[in-house]
Amino acid sequence: GAEPSLGRHARSFLAELGADDPVGDFRAFIRSFRYELESGCFLLERTVHPDLEWAGVARFLDAMAERCREFIEPDAPVFENCKKINRVFYHEYGFQGDLDHFHDPENNFLGSVIRRRRGIPISLSVLYLLVSDRCGIALDPIGAPGRFLLAHLEGPDPFYIDAFDRGRFRTEEEVRQILLTCNIEDGAEYLLPSPIGEVLCRFCRNLVHQYTIRNELRQARLFADFIREFEDAYERESH
């Protein structure tokens, strides 16, 4: 029927759009309030790297997930299967936390993180999430202050994953301790999944901070504008 060609037209239309105005594309995405993590990360990154081809990033994630599926057992507990993802993610592919250049803005862009195999808590968590999702393993992003995490909260044994610390598993109590170091007494709200819009907005907040440190103020202002767009979009949706 008509659907596939519509899809193709939409893609070529997006390609035409993208050629001209990556900033406008991301702004339109924010205003749409139809947030999807992978698309959002792509559109965010293109505002700084307009020539980015997402197909290469997607192929990389597909290949990584395929490798994980060689070890994953569909009937095994999620905890056990995440150990298998850790093996591929950290040992085979060599991803690790970028302690030396933590405040490098490139650490927020998945294409750059994949190329360098280095990232910060949020970007490593998002990559891990996009791989686990392809493997049919349901994890949630957890936007805790001080350390972005992942979690599996369904079932009798919920657990958290610290993607920055080589996929270390953490209990709720350990996460509460992290929050205490940020002077958060009752961190219940931070133990729950973050909406995708909030994940993308946190990338933007990082970038404002990091570009400001580097005195790249035009870039800092750009991401501050995106944060305002997110806030306006949430405001509109709440009425």
Side-chain angles (χ1 to χ4, degrees), residues 183-197:
N183 296 319
I184 295 168
E185 293 291 332
D186 175 28
E189 62 179 298
Y190 297 117
L191 298 167
L192 298 172
S194 294
I196 286 169

Side-chain angles (χ1 to χ4, degrees), residues 58-83:
R59 273 197 304 275
F60 178 89
L61 295 169
D62 291 345
M64 213 160 145
E66 201 169 307
R67 179 63 176 150
C68 291
R69 282 196 296 269
E70 291 176 27
F71 302 110
I72 284 170
E73 295 164 30
D75 299 328
V78 173
F79 183 82
E80 292 302 323
N81 280 331
C82 285
K83 287 184 186 171

